[in-house]
Amino acid sequence: AQSTSMLRNRSLHFYGKILRPNKTNPSTINTMMFSRNTLLAAAAAFYGASSVSAFAPSTAVGNTVSRSSPAIYTQQTASRQYSSTKLNMSSSVDLKGKVAFIAGVADSSGYGWAISKALADAGATIIVGTWPPVLKIFQMGLKKGSFDDDSTLSDGSKMVIEKVYPLDAVFDSPDDVPDEIKNNKRYSGLDGYTIEEVAKAVEADYGKIDILVHSLANGPEVTKPLLETSRKGYLAASSASAYSAVSLLQKFGPIMNEGGNMLSLTYIASEKVIPGYGGGMSSAKAQLESDTRVLAYEAGRKWGVRVNTISAGPLKSRAASAIGKEPGQKTFIEYAIDYSKANAPLAQDLYNDDVGNSGMFLCSPLARTITGVTLYVDNGLHAMGMAIDSESMSDRNQ
């Protein structure tokens, strides 16, 4: 803190005016100091009120499945003059009139859904891209209300997905689609699912969009150690999990409004060794983070669009649960969740809407100067350099 003596020798800036101490009248010092202290107190009260639990951690411990964290509302009374105020993340962000395209949503258990829900809660129009082989199942689930319990917004209404587009993000244009895919029964009756075609369809339907979310990844050899991964498997992981983000921004960037944001999802395996997360997936996530920084520069200068990624902690989504399981053992994601709880600074559950709220913040005007960032939403696990639950630490932990 600045000392009073230092402040006496400096000009004080209030609302664009410069007030200088009057040497012939020392009382002006006291008047200005009173004004300064009043403003500081008001500022402290304002920031104290506006920094309530927007990112407050989930309180339950022991859960290893995907579900929403308890809704968090905090009442604060600044003084007798002001009534109490309920604040939550969506109430402080207004995304009405904004259009968000989320690539990679096929159920309600993953981070893509959680980000969609948080954006919808703030008023954004939600449209999604879904992998063609599961498109009909997802659309049927939406029609039957299978996801209604996971669609409830803070005001009690349900999230509405305005439109679902078939999207296979490993194909940039129609010329890239091989005959084996065109003739595959899982793609039967579908067309226009390449990134280029989907971008054109979205433009025709909505004109410009404001938010682009890349929530997809695939590694056909993810259960294999890197030493056993084939070139084909390695490049497939890179194509589906990293280059797809580059291609999405290439095709959607021209139809994004200035000030928009692209968001992707990464994982700590990009920089730390995570046994069991193989097949080139760790390399793909490292590519994704590097590309985030480069794209932040290029897209920022070209379109005024921000580019960020979230390094999310482990969540037992349907996709993650599909990563190999040996008979009689837990799945990879169950091991990852248990390890995180045992070793992260915050020994608590990570819920999908913790990532959803963080994603909504990055996509909102509140983050207008934030770009090229990898934001860790993992209870602090990324900060740890030693496993405190290891056998070598057993005597210390007793």
Side-chain angles (χ1 to χ4, degrees):
Q2 297 283 353
S3 67
T4 302
S5 61
M6 292 176 67
L7 287 168
R8 291 179 188 274
N9 296 320
R10 297 177 61 185
S11 300
L12 302 179
H13 296 251
F14 294 123
Y15 303 105
K17 296 181 180 180
I18 300 178
L19 304 179
R20 292 183 172 83
N22 187 338
K23 294 181 179 179
T24 62
N25 187 1
S27 65
T28 59
I29 291 288
N30 296 328
T31 300
M32 287 185 290
M33 289 302 296
F34 173 78
S35 300
R36 174 183 176 276
N37 291 336
T38 302
L39 286 174
L40 289 176
F46 171 78
Y47 284 111
S50 61
S51 63
V52 298
S53 53
F55 300 103
S58 309
T59 54
V61 177
N63 179 52
T64 59
V65 297
S66 165
R67 65 181 178 85
S68 297
S69 62
I72 300 167
Y73 299 93
T74 302
Q75 291 187 344
Q76 290 204 352
T77 303
S79 70
R80 291 181 300 174
Q81 300 176 0
Y82 304 100
S83 60
S84 60
T85 304
K86 285 187 176 182
L87 296 176
N88 62 20
M89 175 56 94
S90 62
S91 69
S92 62
V93 176
D94 184 2
L95 296 180
K96 294 182 180 67
K98 306 295 185 182
V99 178
F101 179 78
I102 297 90
V105 177
D107 59 45
S108 62
S109 66
Y111 289 140
W113 179 277
I115 293 171
S116 300
K117 184 177 172 182
L119 293 171
D121 212 15
T125 297
I126 305 299
I127 55 179
V128 304
T130 301
W131 191 43
V134 297
L135 177 65
K136 291 181 181 178
I137 297 174
F138 181 53
Q139 289 177 319
M140 187 179 299
L142 289 172
K143 186 176 181 180
K144 292 170 59 178
S146 302
F147 309 120
D148 281 358
D149 289 345
D150 297 322
S151 301
T152 305
L153 304 179
S154 60
D155 64 358
S157 65
K158 302 293 184 181
M159 174 176 68
V160 175
I161 296 178
E162 294 282 344
K163 189 165 184 177
V164 180
Y165 297 83
L167 171 67
D168 194 325
V170 300
F171 304 122
D172 302 318
S173 67
D175 291 340
D176 297 329
V177 183
D179 289 339
E180 64 181 280
I181 293 296
K182 293 177 183 178
N183 300 325
N184 190 311
K185 64 179 182 179
R186 302 173 79 188
Y187 288 74
S188 177
L190 297 175
D191 56 16
Y193 47 78
T194 67
I195 295 176
E196 179 183 275
E197 292 172 298
V198 174
K200 289 180 179 179
V202 170
E203 183 179 20
D205 293 338
Y206 294 92
K208 295 276 191 176
I209 69 169
D210 304 276
I211 297 166
L212 177 63
V213 179
H214 176 275
S215 177
L216 47 87
N218 183 50
E221 299 180 14
V222 66
T223 59
K224 291 184 179 181
L226 192 56
L227 282 174
E228 299 174 14
T229 299
S230 69
R231 180 183 295 271
K232 182 179 179 180
Y234 184 96
L235 294 178
S238 176
S239 173
S241 310
Y243 186 77
S244 57
V246 176
S247 183
L248 273 174
L249 191 53
Q250 285 179 353
K251 306 303 188 295
F252 278 85
I255 66 167
M256 292 185 72
N257 287 313
E258 185 175 353
N261 181 75
M262 178 186 179
L263 179 68
S264 64
L265 291 162
T266 185
Y267 183 46
I268 194 64
S270 63
E271 56 186 276
K272 303 287 176 65
V273 178
I274 307 293
Y277 194 73
M281 281 302 300
S282 57
S283 308
K285 292 302 186 182
Q287 287 175 257
L288 183 63
E289 292 180 21
S290 178
D291 291 344
T292 293
R293 294 184 287 272
V294 176
L295 292 173
Y297 167 71
E298 295 183 0
R301 292 303 181 95
K302 190 169 187 176
W303 300 305
V305 169
R306 298 178 295 109
V307 183
N308 295 293
T309 188
I310 288 178
S311 183
L315 177 80
K316 194 177 181 183
S317 65
R318 184 172 300 171
S321 298
I323 300 177
K325 177 181 179 181
E326 297 295 329
Q329 295 184 0
K330 295 182 292 186
T331 62
F332 165 80
I333 196 63
E334 288 171 333
Y335 280 116
I337 290 170
D338 290 345
Y339 178 88
S340 179
K341 288 179 184 176
N343 295 286
L346 299 176
Q348 61 186 8
D349 285 320
L350 177 71
Y351 296 98
N352 57 7
D353 67 344
D354 291 320
V355 172
N357 284 334
S358 299
M360 190 263 284
F361 162 72
L362 287 174
C363 293
S364 78
L366 294 176
R368 60 179 293 272
T369 61
I370 300 174
T371 192
V373 163
T374 297
L375 177 66
Y376 297 95
V377 185
D378 63 355
N379 283 319
L381 185 63
H382 69 280
M384 299 301 294
M386 179 180 289
I388 59 175
D389 68 337
S390 69
E391 292 182 7
S392 61
M393 297 283 288
S394 59
D395 59 336
R396 185 182 180 90
N397 295 330
Q398 291 178 354

